[in-house]
Amino acid sequence: MAKIILTGDRPTGRLHLGHFVGSLRRRVELQESGEFERIFIMIADAQALTDNADNPEKVRQNIIEVALDYLSAGLDPAKSTLFIQSQVAELCELAFYYMNLVTVQRLQRNPTVKAEITLRGFSEQSVEGDTQQRQGIPVGFFTYPISQASDITAFKATTVPAGEDQEPMIEQTREIVHKFNSVYGPTLVEPEILLPDNAACLRLPGTDGKAKMSKSLGNCIYLSDTAEEVKKKVMGMYTDPNHLRVEDPGKVEGNTVFTYLDAFCQPEHFAKYLPEYASLDELKAHYRRGGLGDVKVKRLLIAVLNEILDPIRERRKYYEARIPEVYEILRRGSEVARQTAAATLAEVRAAMKIDYFDDAALIEEQAKAYANKN
């Protein structure tokens, strides 16, 4: 079986370091590995509209932001197919058929759906006069896991690089695939999630130390941030609230700066930026016993992050000067994606026996039956 990747992001804002360590960096590595026959990277604008229906311009403007982040991070349109979800109409039809394979109760139990409903302020029921919560849950948002299953199966993806928060969604896709194949015969491919191999990357916290890095919480460091913006955000990062003086023992666990160092710091960074320490473990040990200030640790992190982001900034500058070329990349990618999804949809229709006009045997058989009848 061909090894195929499908993954993507909602265009609700610029991509940040959480996206980078959770999936984007891995996509580039997998792209360069030669291990996969095809790689599809989707800008999920249709899914973004499920909770931004009243602000389509936001989604429209962020298409180019996400595309620039993809290209500047190292995704190569010669090796990966970059496309826009809404330009592949076949995905909607697949989702429509899959809706018959999932119960309302199953969707209500999906942990990711429940968490996102709370995060985005949807009320379980419409509440008259409630100005704090949005009125009810849009059906499109509620059925998000079904839409995601459509995206994954349309390209027969075997692998979905994603963060751990997406595990319930991938599991629901597997359930849909199993149910479809059980009812209609082997047609769809069950995907596997590919999690980050660094535990610190599974759910990168925000700069405030709360939850995960999230655009809606305003606690992000973006891939497109300048060196000065990165410095300002790191210097304001949450550390150990009890580490009031340099000589005080400090806590590494739950300390956002050290979590980021776990995610990004490599052994060679110490020789370049902090040669008095041989490794991150040695730095942590000093912090724990006291005598190491937060500012020194933060300066190391600033240097590490800017080293990683500098080439990304340079590539972004290149593509920002070639916006029509970026749109052409997305147009061509969307055409390729649509051809692939159309082939899968044809197989799905045949399995479901709704390919009436393509089934010459059916037409001939029924013609003979009615001829004999008359």
Side-chain angles (χ1 to χ4, degrees):
M1 180 187 296
K3 296 182 71 175
I4 299 170
I5 285 176
L6 182 282
T7 187
D9 301 278
R10 290 158 40 99
T12 54
R14 295 172 294 158
L15 300 185
H16 52 64
L17 290 180
H19 295 114
F20 184 71
V21 297
S23 179
L24 187 50
R25 180 170 62 182
R26 193 70 174 276
R27 294 175 203 172
V28 176
E29 293 170 352
L30 295 171
Q31 169 190 270
E32 299 304 322
S33 72
E35 180 183 352
F36 292 85
E37 184 174 310
R38 304 187 76 181
I39 298 175
F40 293 92
I41 312 292
M42 180 179 73
I43 300 179
D45 61 328
Q47 290 180 359
L49 286 168
T50 60
D51 60 324
N52 288 279
D54 57 348
N55 192 5
E57 190 62 25
K58 171 186 174 183
V59 175
R60 181 182 179 86
Q61 293 299 326
N62 279 309
I63 293 289
I64 193 66
E65 292 290 347
V66 173
L68 287 169
D69 282 331
Y70 281 169
L71 294 167
S72 62
L75 289 175
D76 183 349
K79 300 176 181 178
S80 298
T81 301
L82 311 182
F83 71 99
I84 302 175
Q85 182 186 32
S86 64
Q87 305 308 297
V88 184
E90 288 77 6
L91 301 177
C92 294
E93 187 171 341
L94 284 172
F96 181 77
Y97 299 144
Y98 295 169
M99 286 181 187
N100 298 318
L101 306 176
V102 183
T103 66
V104 171
Q105 291 77 12
R106 176 64 183 90
L107 287 174
Q108 288 174 325
R109 292 198 306 272
N110 187 303
T112 304
V113 172
K114 291 166 70 174
E116 291 294 327
I117 285 171
T118 301
L119 177 63
R120 302 184 195 285
F122 290 124
S123 56
E124 290 287 346
Q125 298 177 341
S126 179
V127 181
E128 187 174 352
D130 184 352
T131 58
Q132 299 300 312
Q133 282 193 309
R134 300 173 70 168
Q135 301 295 294
I137 304 166
V139 172
F141 187 87
F142 185 65
T143 58
Y144 179 96
I146 300 174
S147 171
Q148 192 171 69
S150 168
D151 301 330
I152 294 169
T153 58
F155 303 99
K156 297 191 174 180
T158 57
T159 307
V160 181
E164 65 174 353
D165 59 321
Q166 291 299 305
E167 285 192 278
M169 305 293 264
I170 307 304
E171 180 57 34
Q172 187 127 43
T173 296
R174 291 170 59 82
E175 290 176 12
I176 289 172
V177 169
H178 181 74
K179 182 69 178 289
F180 186 97
N181 290 345
S182 296
V183 174
Y184 300 112
T187 308
L188 304 176
V189 175
E190 286 193 26
E192 298 288 343
I193 191 170
L194 181 62
L195 294 168
D197 52 10
N198 182 336
C201 300
L202 290 175
R203 189 181 290 259
L204 196 69
T207 54
D208 55 3
K210 298 176 181 177
K212 64 177 180 176
M213 188 172 285
S214 168
K215 289 170 283 193
S216 59
L217 296 175
N219 59 3
C220 302
I221 294 176
Y222 295 100
L223 300 183
S224 54
D225 278 347
T226 65
E228 191 57 36
E229 286 171 331
V230 170
K231 177 180 177 181
K232 182 178 179 180
K233 290 179 178 180
V234 171
M235 292 307 291
M237 262 188 180
Y238 176 85
T239 56
D240 177 2
N242 296 316
H243 187 246
L244 302 177
R245 299 171 300 174
V246 172
E247 59 267 27
D248 291 337
K251 187 177 180 183
V252 170
E253 295 73 18
N255 187 319
T256 305
V257 177
F258 280 101
T259 301
Y260 277 58
L261 286 173
D262 281 331
F264 294 101
C265 194
Q266 299 297 321
E268 58 267 24
H269 287 137
F270 285 92
K272 293 173 68 174
Y273 304 120
L274 213 57
E276 59 265 43
Y277 297 94
S279 66
L280 183 55
D281 285 340
E282 192 173 302
L283 185 73
K284 288 179 177 179
H286 190 179
Y287 190 82
R288 286 189 176 105
R289 67 176 180 265
L292 176 59
D294 289 321
V295 171
K296 190 170 186 175
V297 181
K298 288 180 177 181
R299 283 177 179 160
L300 170 64
L301 179 57
I302 291 167
V304 169
L305 292 181
N306 279 324
E307 179 181 310
I308 292 168
L309 292 176
D310 276 342
I312 294 176
R313 293 181 185 119
E314 284 302 309
R315 283 191 293 266
R316 187 182 180 94
K317 187 183 299 184
Y318 171 88
Y319 283 107
E320 283 178 346
R322 295 164 174 80
I323 295 300
E325 180 182 328
V326 175
Y327 273 104
E328 180 60 18
I329 289 170
L330 295 176
R331 187 191 66 77
R332 291 197 305 265
S334 297
E335 288 180 356
V336 171
R338 187 163 193 185
Q339 291 170 4
T340 305
T344 300
L345 178 59
E347 294 178 15
V348 165
R349 285 181 167 189
M352 296 177 69
K353 300 188 181 301
I354 57 175
D355 59 335
Y356 310 110
F357 307 132
D358 297 325
D359 193 342
L362 170 69
I363 297 171
E364 183 180 356
E365 176 190 332
Q366 292 187 342
K368 287 182 180 178
Y370 277 93
N372 293 333
K373 180 180 178 181
N374 294 327

